[in-house]
Amino acid sequence: MKGYILDFQMKSENSALVKPKKDIVHFLEEVGYKTIDYDFYPQKYKRFLFLAISWQKKIKGLRDTMIVFQYPMYSRICEKVMLKSVKKKENVKTVVIVHDVDSLRFGKHNKKKVSAEIKYLNEFDCLVVHNNNMKKWLEDNGIRVPMVSLGIFDYENSNNQNPNYSVEDGLVFAGNLWKSAFLKQINIKTKIQLLGPNPLSHYPQNIRYDGQYSPEEVPMHFKAAFGLVWDGDLNDNNLAEYTMYNNPHKASLYLSSGLPVIVWKDAALSDFVVSNKVGFVISKLDDIDSMMNQITQQDYHELKKNVKRISLQMRSGYYIKTAMENVRRALKKNSVLTRVLITG
């Protein structure tokens, strides 16, 4: 028995919000983790009723195992109560896979918010975080429990991972378009295909909007050579700064679909892109035209070969499965250290 993972049941129009968590559940089930279903109810009284009755039944008899949470859960009260009740169980280790650090994303200069989130995360026995940049920020701000870096998110994707495109096909940007202000400011000639909800009524001439699709369907509609990973506007802001610490899930969408990526050079993801040779890093969006003009078909062919290897790993859940093996080693090491400190 590997342990348990919470399977978050939520009806959402934005299925992209749920996709990363559902994929992790799927891949960990493949290696023996059992799921504990929990439902998110919009009504507060139903959430409290679930905590008082259903949740207690689900964890009854839980002992001598590991239980994996995914954070955030979109109800701070529920996640705190659920964790507290699990920690009362005999010899149960708690692990949390961190999808977002809200105080880093929206309020890194608000000491009260940072402190509250750090305090909650320190209640777990081990954290799985996006990358070493996020790990260091959390350490600097008070995390004292072991942490494991994921590297990049996996992406369950049954679509063609080797599309037959050339450099002339330009870029694709997929995501929620309301928060992508740079798209109305960008001044380049390279073609950009847009996919996602909440498009603007007007874009520059080089941009074509091709509709909205589910995370499972969207790879079938890619008509571009590269996937663009960018956030915020053309100037520094919270959304852009957050990419210095997080791994945007759209990068996994592109790579698992066979597309090399273009990312900001200061993004945390740039280390992964460069070391695995699966795309290019740029300082600013204005650099795209000159970069695209310099890429040969041979360059692109080599990138595609590297991307195919990473794509196959993502589709098999390699990164989360490896991270969880590292979690087990970290917990074992920490347990040995604790016994030494106690007996010493």
Side-chain angles (χ1 to χ4, degrees):
M1 170 84 68
K2 291 282 187 177
Y4 295 86
I5 181 166
L6 303 188
D7 189 2
F8 187 65
Q9 306 295 319
M10 177 183 180
K11 292 181 179 179
S12 171
E13 293 181 1
N14 183 8
S15 56
L17 193 68
V18 182
K19 171 73 171 167
K21 294 182 179 180
K22 299 299 288 186
D23 281 356
I24 285 174
V25 171
H26 167 76
F27 289 128
L28 292 187
E29 281 183 316
E30 288 186 338
V31 289
Y33 285 78
K34 292 191 174 181
T35 58
I36 299 178
D37 297 338
Y38 65 100
D39 299 296
F40 176 81
Y41 296 99
Q43 304 90 344
K44 286 187 178 180
Y45 79 92
K46 285 189 177 181
R47 291 205 294 267
F48 288 124
L49 191 64
F50 169 79
L51 287 174
I53 302 175
S54 299
W55 177 245
Q56 296 304 324
K57 288 183 178 179
K58 289 176 183 291
I59 64 172
K60 185 178 181 180
L62 200 68
R63 59 179 294 174
D64 300 321
T65 189
M66 178 173 71
I67 185 166
V68 182
F69 288 69
Q70 299 198 64
Y71 173 85
M73 285 171 44
Y74 310 106
S75 172
R76 292 301 168 89
I77 294 177
C78 287
E79 62 191 12
K80 289 179 180 180
V81 173
M82 291 168 74
L83 177 60
K84 185 177 181 179
S85 60
V86 168
K87 290 182 72 68
K88 292 179 180 179
K89 299 295 180 178
E90 184 178 350
N91 194 28
V92 173
K93 296 294 184 182
T94 56
V95 178
V96 62
I97 299 169
V98 177
H99 289 265
D100 275 306
V101 182
D102 285 343
S103 61
L104 172 57
R105 189 180 189 184
F106 298 118
K108 62 182 294 187
H109 302 297
N110 187 321
K111 293 183 179 180
K112 185 176 180 180
K113 287 184 178 180
V114 172
S115 177
E117 194 162 29
I118 294 296
K119 181 180 179 181
Y120 172 72
L121 292 175
N122 266 327
E123 292 294 318
F124 290 91
D125 295 302
C126 189
L127 277 60
V128 177
V129 299
H130 290 202
N131 51 60
N132 289 335
N133 286 15
M134 182 177 283
K135 182 179 178 182
K136 185 179 187 307
W137 187 89
L138 289 167
E139 286 175 341
D140 291 345
N141 284 275
I143 289 294
R144 298 293 175 257
V145 298
M147 287 185 282
V148 169
S149 291
L150 179 63
I152 197 167
F153 282 98
D154 299 289
Y155 201 103
E156 186 186 10
N157 188 339
S158 59
N159 294 286
N160 176 25
Q161 77 267 36
N162 192 30
N164 187 26
Y165 297 124
S166 62
V167 177
E168 290 75 18
D169 291 307
L171 318 178
V172 62
F173 181 85
N176 196 332
L177 302 177
W178 71 265
K179 64 176 184 176
S180 303
F182 72 89
L183 291 168
K184 64 183 179 182
Q185 302 167 318
I186 197 167
N187 183 25
I188 61 174
K189 296 179 180 179
T190 301
K191 293 189 297 185
I192 302 178
Q193 177 194 21
L194 294 189
L195 295 164
N198 305 309
L200 300 178
S201 58
H202 178 73
Y203 288 108
Q205 289 186 346
N206 63 309
I207 296 179
R208 182 185 75 254
Y209 178 67
D210 280 349
Q212 173 184 353
Y213 304 94
S214 72
E216 294 75 23
E217 296 172 328
V218 70
M220 294 184 290
H221 298 273
F222 287 162
K223 298 176 182 177
F226 290 87
L228 177 62
V229 183
W230 209 268
D231 216 339
D233 58 26
L234 295 182
N235 303 306
D236 290 339
N237 60 21
N238 287 337
L239 291 174
E241 190 174 355
Y242 189 50
T243 63
M244 298 170 67
Y245 304 97
N246 83 319
N247 294 338
H249 197 240
K250 62 167 56 68
S252 299
L253 164 64
Y254 300 142
L255 291 170
S256 69
S257 302
L259 295 182
V261 294
I262 295 173
V263 305
W264 182 34
K265 72 175 183 64
D266 291 327
L269 192 64
S270 65
D271 290 339
F272 183 92
V273 172
V274 172
S275 62
N276 288 283
K277 299 179 181 178
V278 292
F280 296 103
V281 299
I282 57 175
S283 298
K284 55 187 183 302
L285 291 169
D286 290 346
D287 296 338
I288 288 177
D289 282 346
S290 60
M291 184 205 69
M292 295 292 284
N293 289 333
Q294 294 175 33
I295 301 171
T296 67
Q297 288 300 336
Q298 182 60 33
D299 293 335
Y300 187 62
H301 178 70
E302 291 299 319
L303 286 175
K304 292 284 291 296
K305 286 200 304 184
N306 298 330
V307 170
K308 186 173 183 179
R309 174 178 56 84
I310 297 298
S311 171
L312 292 174
Q313 289 181 335
M314 287 180 166
R315 290 164 175 249
S316 68
Y318 168 82
Y319 293 96
I320 187 58
K321 292 173 183 176
T322 301
M324 293 309 298
E325 288 301 315
N326 290 334
V327 163
R328 288 186 171 275
R329 283 192 282 270
L331 289 175
K332 184 177 181 180
K333 180 180 179 181
N334 199 51
S335 178
V336 170
L337 179 61
T338 300
R339 288 199 298 270
V340 170
L341 291 173
I342 291 174
T343 57

